[in-house]
């Protein structure tokens, strides 16, 4: 096997006197393997990746001295034999990697965390499972493979993963949404996990407490020197990075910025620059033939104000304050000025335009209209009686809770009803 002396993580440190120590060391290696592509393109390095189990049950991770040592909680706070899910530990690792660049949890920190999360999820979606000795595939081994072969293998794995997950509802390597699962609860759980990781970061505690945690890991930890990175594994890693960057270019277009050590957040960390169209040179203003000011004609001053036309709805306008008053008001509602002219009496409606009254219809016509009305009512009642009656509600198939027909999901467990 061909090695390259460029290991991104120098040493691993696990707690030797806790149960299942081999699984703890394997978990550290697996997490490091999953985030190495993200570290590689930014030039980040970590001195020691260590396990810790602090007494504070909410603490999940610590980045000490900008990557000199990163501590991760691998086991459940209440049971040291129960390991946390790998996705949660990896998300904590991404959070702590952001502290290599940013200290406080400000907007720049969260922009970088979002970028790292997106890249990690894209790698999972394209089939990246870590380095060969930890993944389900075969070890590459042998001599150095050319870069075009690494690209071919990475694209083949990405296409295979896309075909396997097509139409399954699975997103970003996570679990698919189950039938009846409330999407609002899924979004709320994701936001809660983000808040939990942020509050569980020991990098925001006091400097004295950080030193105590680091000293504790030095006492109880057992260090293992990291293996040198295989150049073939690195070639596959770089090929996957190129695939992710191609997708990022399609997403951001001309505003795309490749992540680097100087700008680790990439397009999410830099302001988007909008191209401005080149301005055409404007023509020079015309040269005036005379520099003398043009005299303006005097405005007439003694012009009597014209009365506004009377409104068409019968209301009248006050001559003093110009308030429009209703036709029944004899004085202005604002300045109490009496109305100058009496309100016009409404013109009688011509008999030809009046609505016909049924009192003057012939008896035969009135009887015919009554029969038609009764017939229409009877037809409507018959049609209504034939329609099937809708149920008042439905019983949840999960918890047995009764819900009214207008609700589609159960208020108790969030399950969706099976039929409409």
């Amino acid at each position: 096997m061909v090695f390259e002396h460029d290991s991104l993580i120098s040493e691993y440190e696990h707690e030797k006197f806790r149960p299942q120590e081999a699984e703890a060391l394997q978990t550290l290696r697996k997490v490091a393997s999953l985030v190495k592509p993200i570290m590689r393109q930014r030039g980040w390095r970590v001195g020691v990746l260590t396990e810790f189990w602090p007494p504070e049950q909410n603490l999940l991770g610590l980045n000490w001295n900008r990557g000199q040592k990163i501590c991760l909680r691998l086991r459940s706070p209440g049971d040291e034999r129960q390991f946390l899910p790998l996705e949660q530990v990896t998300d904590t690792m991404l959070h702590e990697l952001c502290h290599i660049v940013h200290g406080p949890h400000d907007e720049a920190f969260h922009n970088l965390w979002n970028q790292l999360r997106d890249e990690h999820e894209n790698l999972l979606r394209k089939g990246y499972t870590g380095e060969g000795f930890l993944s389900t595939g075969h070890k590459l081994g042998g001599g150095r493979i050319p870069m075009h072969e690494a690209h071919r293998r990475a694209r083949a794995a990405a296409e295979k993963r896309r075909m396997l997950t097509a139409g399954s509802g699975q997103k970003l390597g996570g679990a698919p949404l189950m039938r009846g699962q409330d999407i609002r609860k899924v979004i709320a759980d994701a936001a809660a996990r983000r808040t939990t990781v942020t509050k569980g970061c020991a990098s925001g505690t006091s400097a004295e407490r950080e030193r105590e945690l680091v000293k504790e890991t030095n006492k109880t930890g057992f260090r293992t020197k990291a293996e040198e990175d295989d150049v073939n594994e690195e070639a596959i890693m770089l090929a996957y990075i190129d695939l992710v960057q191609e997708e990022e270019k399609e997403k951001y277009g001309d505003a795309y910025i490749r992540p680097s050590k100087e700008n680790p957040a990439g397009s999410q960390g830099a302001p988007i620059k909008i191209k401005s169209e080149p301005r055409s040179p404007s023509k020079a203003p015309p040269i005036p033939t005379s520099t003398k000011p043009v005299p303006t004609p005097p405005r007439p001053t003694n012009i009597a104000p014209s009365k506004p036309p009377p409104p068409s709805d019968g209301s009248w306008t006050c001559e003093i304050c110009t308030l429009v008053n209703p036709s029944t008001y004899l004085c202005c509602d604002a300045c109490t000025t009496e109305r100058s002219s009496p309100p016009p009496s409404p013109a009688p409606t011509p008999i030809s335009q009046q609505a016909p009254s049924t009192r003057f219809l012939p008896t035969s016509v009135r009887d015919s209209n009554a029969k038609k009305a009764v017939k229409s009512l009877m037809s409507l009642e018959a049609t209504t009686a034939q329609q099937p009656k809708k149920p008042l509600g439905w019983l949840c198939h999960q918890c047995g809770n009764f819900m009214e027909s207008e609700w589609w999901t159960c208020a108790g467990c969030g399950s969706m009803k099976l039929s409409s």
Side-chain angles (χ1 to χ4, degrees):
M1 180 175 292
V2 183
F3 291 104
E4 181 185 15
H5 299 276
D6 186 20
S7 181
L8 300 179
I9 297 178
S10 301
E11 294 178 310
Y12 301 103
E13 187 177 64
H14 68 282
E15 297 196 358
K16 187 175 180 59
F17 300 103
R18 296 197 184 276
Q20 302 175 354
E21 55 171 321
E23 184 177 352
L25 178 59
Q26 185 77 353
T27 302
L28 291 174
R29 287 177 171 172
K30 180 64 177 179
V31 171
S33 176
L34 290 173
V35 301
K36 274 186 178 181
I38 297 173
M39 298 173 60
R40 173 74 62 183
Q41 61 178 333
R42 290 168 175 82
W44 290 345
R45 283 171 174 77
V46 175
V48 182
L49 182 61
T50 181
E51 172 194 8
F52 80 148
W53 203 60
E56 297 90 344
Q57 296 189 0
N58 66 307
L59 294 186
L60 298 175
L62 167 65
N63 186 328
W64 185 67
N65 199 15
R66 295 188 179 272
Q68 182 176 346
K69 173 178 278 193
I70 290 183
C71 305
L72 299 176
R73 178 187 286 275
L74 306 183
R75 308 169 191 264
S76 175
D79 185 5
E80 61 181 5
R81 296 180 179 273
Q82 183 69 30
F83 283 81
L84 297 175
L86 183 64
E87 294 81 5
Q88 180 179 337
V89 180
T90 306
D91 196 20
T92 304
M93 179 67 178
L94 295 175
H95 180 99
E96 299 305 330
L97 284 175
C98 296
H99 283 298
I100 296 178
V101 181
H102 303 289
H105 297 142
D106 53 8
E107 182 180 1
F109 178 91
H110 285 283
N111 288 338
L112 178 57
W113 192 15
N114 290 336
Q115 178 67 23
L116 300 190
R117 274 181 154 190
D118 291 344
E119 292 181 11
H120 172 64
E121 291 169 350
N122 287 338
L123 287 169
L124 294 182
R125 188 177 60 190
K126 295 184 183 305
Y128 182 76
T129 57
E131 296 170 329
F133 68 94
L134 290 172
S135 64
T136 56
H138 297 288
K139 210 169 171 56
L140 291 174
R144 183 189 298 266
I145 63 173
M147 198 62 196
H148 66 84
E149 175 64 16
H151 277 275
R152 187 194 67 79
R153 296 189 185 187
R155 291 185 184 277
E159 182 64 20
K160 182 179 179 181
R161 179 63 180 264
R162 187 187 66 82
M163 295 297 294
L164 289 175
T165 58
S168 64
Q170 192 170 1
K171 181 177 182 291
L172 304 179
L177 290 176
M178 304 300 294
R179 183 177 180 181
Q181 191 173 6
D182 191 356
I183 186 62
R184 294 171 295 182
K185 185 176 183 300
V186 175
I187 297 174
D189 291 343
R193 284 196 302 270
R194 185 185 185 96
T195 305
T196 301
V197 174
T198 302
K199 291 183 178 180
C201 179
S203 302
T205 58
S206 62
E208 183 179 357
R209 180 55 183 154
E210 290 183 14
R211 287 192 294 269
E212 291 177 358
L213 291 173
V214 172
K215 289 180 180 179
E216 186 66 22
T217 58
N218 293 334
K219 293 178 181 178
T220 61
F222 180 81
R223 292 197 178 187
T224 304
K225 186 174 178 59
E227 297 182 7
E228 298 169 347
D229 292 339
D230 180 19
V231 293
N232 291 335
E233 297 285 359
E234 183 187 5
I236 295 292
M237 186 188 308
L238 294 176
Y240 273 104
I241 292 175
D242 291 340
L243 289 180
V244 172
Q245 297 308 323
E246 288 177 6
E247 186 172 321
E248 291 286 318
K249 288 179 183 178
E250 294 179 0
K251 177 181 178 181
Y252 290 100
D254 295 338
Y256 168 75
I257 300 176
R258 186 181 179 90
S260 60
K261 188 174 183 179
E262 292 75 19
N263 184 20
S267 302
Q268 294 198 32
I272 298 177
K273 298 180 181 180
I274 302 176
K275 290 185 178 180
S276 58
E277 298 181 356
R279 297 182 179 179
S280 58
S282 58
K283 297 181 180 180
I287 301 175
T289 56
S290 176
T291 58
K292 294 182 179 180
V294 180
T296 57
R299 297 179 61 183
T301 56
N302 299 328
I303 298 179
S306 58
K307 294 183 179 181
S312 58
D313 58 351
S315 57
W316 57 279
T317 305
C318 178
E319 298 179 355
I320 303 301
C321 65
T322 67
L323 177 68
V324 179
N325 296 276
S327 59
T328 56
Y329 283 22
L330 298 179
C331 63
C332 180
D333 191 31
C335 62
T336 66
T337 303
E338 294 184 359
R339 185 173 182 177
S340 58
S341 58
S345 57
T349 305
I351 298 177
S352 59
Q353 298 181 4
Q354 294 181 359
S357 176
T358 57
R359 293 181 302 171
F360 302 101
L361 293 176
T363 305
S364 60
V365 177
R366 284 184 291 173
D367 294 343
S368 176
N369 292 341
K371 291 180 180 179
K372 290 181 179 179
V374 173
K375 187 176 181 180
S376 299
L377 289 175
M378 293 176 63
S379 176
L380 180 61
E381 291 179 357
T383 305
T384 307
Q386 294 176 0
Q387 294 180 352
K389 294 184 179 180
K390 295 183 178 180
L392 297 177
W394 55 278
L395 293 176
C396 177
H397 63 281
Q398 293 288 344
C399 63
N401 187 26
F402 176 79
M403 298 296 298
E404 297 180 358
S405 299
E406 60 181 348
W407 303 108
W408 284 79
T409 56
C410 177
C413 64
S415 300
M416 184 178 293
K417 65 179 179 179
L418 300 178
S419 61
S420 59

